[in-house]
Amino acid sequence: MKNTHPQGPAQTLAGRITEWLTFDNMHHQWLLLAACFWVIFMFMVASKFITLTFKDPDAYSSKQEFLFLTAVPDAGKLPGEKHFLEELKPTGKVLSDSRLVQPLVYMERLELIRNVCRDEALKNLSHTAVSKFVLDRIFVCDKHKILFCQTPKVGNTQWKKVLIVLNGAFPSIEEIPENVVHDHEKNGLPRLSSFSDAEIQKRLKTYFKFFIVRDPFERLISAFKDKFVHNPRFEPWYRHEIAPGIIRKYRRNRTETRGIQFEDFVRYLGDPNHRWLDLQFGDHIIHWVTYVELCAPCEIKYSVIGHHETLEDDAPYILKEAGIDHLVSYPTIPPGITVYNRTKVERYFLGISKRDIRRLYARFEGDFKLFGYQKPDFLLN
């Protein structure tokens, strides 16, 4: 028989409390579940920025090399080279908090190179064959498994000194005579071109590889000053052989009797048919040809790209990632010497026609884009 007695106030209150507690518990459960999903989402986002350290047992034995998950492109890959990611082996090395952000800069530089190398519109400006000319630019330190590509007018003398000490030719940087640094019969720095094809491929595949860049136009100014104005190493062929050849072909005012001017130099470099003079000048052109022509960054998978403008940070970073920071230090950098000087650039290009500057940029556009240098619109427009 049904109970027809109405519920009392106490029963009604108890029922409402029970319903409220049930609703409150469910509310807390949903909040907890949402919080768990948020934590998982944040962990997934953060994990994309975790930097790992790897060791290639074939290349470094017990020495560790800092590499990145981002590789330079496969375009133009050399025979016998594996994909960059296939060569990496985790070591579990962890960076301190103070160093956690810094490696992202170097990873982004490699990422930029990869993207530009894949740009079909820039292929003619970003790709080059790994020829003997390129292999002649790369110096080898077998003892520490390092390859350094020479980019003149970007502080290369100091890096050569570092490698000379590492190769054991001199006990310290301070003891290296200046006349020995660039004398390749005395400095103990073998070029990659001196090895057999198999040995070249082995080193390109397994060694720590790096080079340094700077703003392309500022580098050309430095080359012009060093070789045609000051000439501190007393290399007479620049003024007496190369300069007259440029003047004969590119000087507009034939009555002008002064020595080579920067305008003549710019006109020569921007000429699409400059190569016939390059052949006459031989290897001396290394001081002003593009980084692409010197180091083939789309064909060779470099470990680190340093920038002259941030050399105070980049030099110690490179030494550390090459595993040699406990053996040698980069020479002291004079204050302000690596800072980009727009005023100087504007002064040197003053009076040069926009047409000639645009032709110069057209040749060096690959360098500007590969290494993240801003297009010099203040000169072009």
Side-chain angles (χ1 to χ4, degrees):
M1 187 166 114
K2 273 187 186 179
N3 184 1
T4 58
H5 294 291
Q7 294 181 342
Q11 290 175 307
T12 303
L13 179 61
R16 288 177 179 175
I17 290 173
T18 301
E19 290 174 1
W20 181 82
L21 289 173
T22 302
F23 174 80
D24 187 66
N25 286 338
M26 291 178 65
H27 180 70
H28 278 84
Q29 289 174 0
W30 278 110
L31 285 176
L32 182 61
L33 187 60
C36 289
F37 277 115
W38 176 254
V39 170
I40 292 171
F41 174 75
M42 292 302 295
F43 178 79
M44 292 173 65
V45 172
S47 67
K48 295 180 72 174
F49 298 96
I50 294 175
T51 307
L52 300 177
T53 305
F54 299 89
K55 179 173 72 176
D56 185 336
D58 296 330
Y60 291 90
S61 299
S62 61
K63 186 176 74 170
Q64 293 181 341
E65 177 190 15
F66 185 87
L67 294 175
F68 303 114
L69 291 176
T70 304
V72 289
D74 291 330
K77 184 163 63 175
L78 292 170
E81 283 193 300
K82 295 180 185 176
H83 191 278
F84 189 73
L85 295 179
E86 295 172 355
E87 301 171 7
L88 305 182
K89 305 290 182 184
T91 64
K93 178 181 170 186
V94 179
L95 292 172
S96 66
D97 291 342
S98 63
R99 294 291 306 282
L100 187 60
V101 177
Q102 189 179 7
L104 293 177
V105 172
Y106 306 101
M107 182 172 69
E108 288 167 357
R109 290 175 185 174
L110 295 181
E111 177 77 12
L112 176 61
I113 290 174
R114 182 179 71 174
N115 291 336
V116 175
C117 290
R118 287 177 171 174
D119 189 340
E120 287 295 323
L122 294 171
K123 190 171 184 179
N124 290 338
L125 295 171
S126 60
H127 289 264
T128 191
V130 183
S131 61
K132 184 178 183 299
F133 181 81
V134 172
L135 298 175
D136 278 344
R137 310 281 77 78
I138 300 177
F139 295 103
V140 181
C141 176
D142 277 330
K143 186 176 181 180
H144 299 281
K145 296 183 169 60
I146 297 171
L147 299 180
F148 166 61
C149 184
Q150 176 189 22
T151 49
K153 315 324 306 166
V154 193
N156 281 261
T157 297
Q158 307 305 330
W159 284 109
K160 280 187 178 181
K161 290 179 180 178
V162 168
L163 293 182
I164 288 169
V165 170
L166 290 174
N167 278 346
F170 288 87
S172 70
I173 286 175
E174 293 73 23
E175 296 178 59
I176 305 173
E178 287 297 322
N179 65 324
V180 169
V181 178
H182 301 287
D183 187 334
H184 299 296
E185 294 182 359
K186 298 179 181 178
N187 64 18
L189 289 180
R191 299 173 189 262
L192 190 56
S193 58
S194 65
F195 297 88
S196 68
D197 289 345
E199 289 297 315
I200 289 171
Q201 295 301 330
K202 176 184 176 183
R203 286 164 175 78
L204 284 173
K205 174 184 171 184
T206 60
Y207 280 22
F208 179 89
K209 302 172 286 294
F210 76 100
F211 67 95
I212 315 295
V213 297
R214 73 187 293 187
D215 178 86
F217 279 7
E218 196 170 36
R219 172 176 169 253
L220 295 180
I221 292 171
S222 179
F224 178 79
K225 288 169 57 181
D226 185 63
K227 299 305 174 188
F228 300 109
V229 181
H230 303 305
N231 200 251
R233 294 193 196 127
F234 305 105
E235 299 163 309
W237 47 88
Y238 286 102
R239 287 179 178 171
H240 302 311
E241 296 175 23
I242 295 177
I246 294 173
I247 290 171
R248 277 194 300 270
K249 181 168 176 60
Y250 295 102
R251 177 155 295 177
R252 286 177 177 162
N253 184 359
R254 297 296 180 179
T255 63
E256 174 64 65
T257 59
R258 290 184 301 169
I260 186 170
Q261 302 297 299
F262 189 64
E263 181 181 8
D264 306 322
F265 190 56
V266 166
R267 202 169 291 121
Y268 150 57
L269 294 177
D271 183 0
N273 299 313
H274 63 85
R275 294 193 183 281
W276 77 272
L277 265 188
D278 290 350
L279 292 173
Q280 296 180 41
F281 298 157
D283 279 359
H284 299 307
I285 64 173
I286 65 171
H287 298 281
W288 50 77
V289 297
T290 66
Y291 300 128
V292 170
E293 294 169 280
L294 291 169
C295 298
C298 287
E299 285 66 40
I300 297 175
K301 299 176 181 180
Y302 287 92
S303 310
V304 178
I305 305 298
H307 281 223
H308 186 258
E309 294 81 1
T310 54
L311 196 58
E312 290 87 348
D313 295 325
D314 293 3
Y317 179 81
I318 289 169
L319 295 178
K320 185 177 187 302
E321 301 316 317
I324 55 175
D325 56 320
H326 62 293
L327 300 174
V328 65
S329 297
Y330 190 83
T332 302
I333 301 170
I337 196 170
T338 63
V339 177
Y340 173 72
N341 189 337
R342 173 169 165 161
T343 301
K344 178 179 69 177
V345 174
E346 288 177 325
R347 186 175 73 249
Y348 267 83
F349 281 92
L350 184 66
I352 299 178
S353 73
K354 298 298 182 184
R355 171 184 174 274
D356 289 337
I357 299 175
R358 287 173 188 145
R359 289 177 66 165
L360 181 69
Y361 178 76
R363 178 178 176 188
F364 286 85
E365 183 181 7
D367 283 358
F368 275 93
K369 294 196 171 181
L370 278 164
F371 306 108
Y373 287 102
Q374 189 173 359
K375 182 178 180 181
D377 287 323
F378 63 96
L379 297 175
L380 299 170
N381 299 325

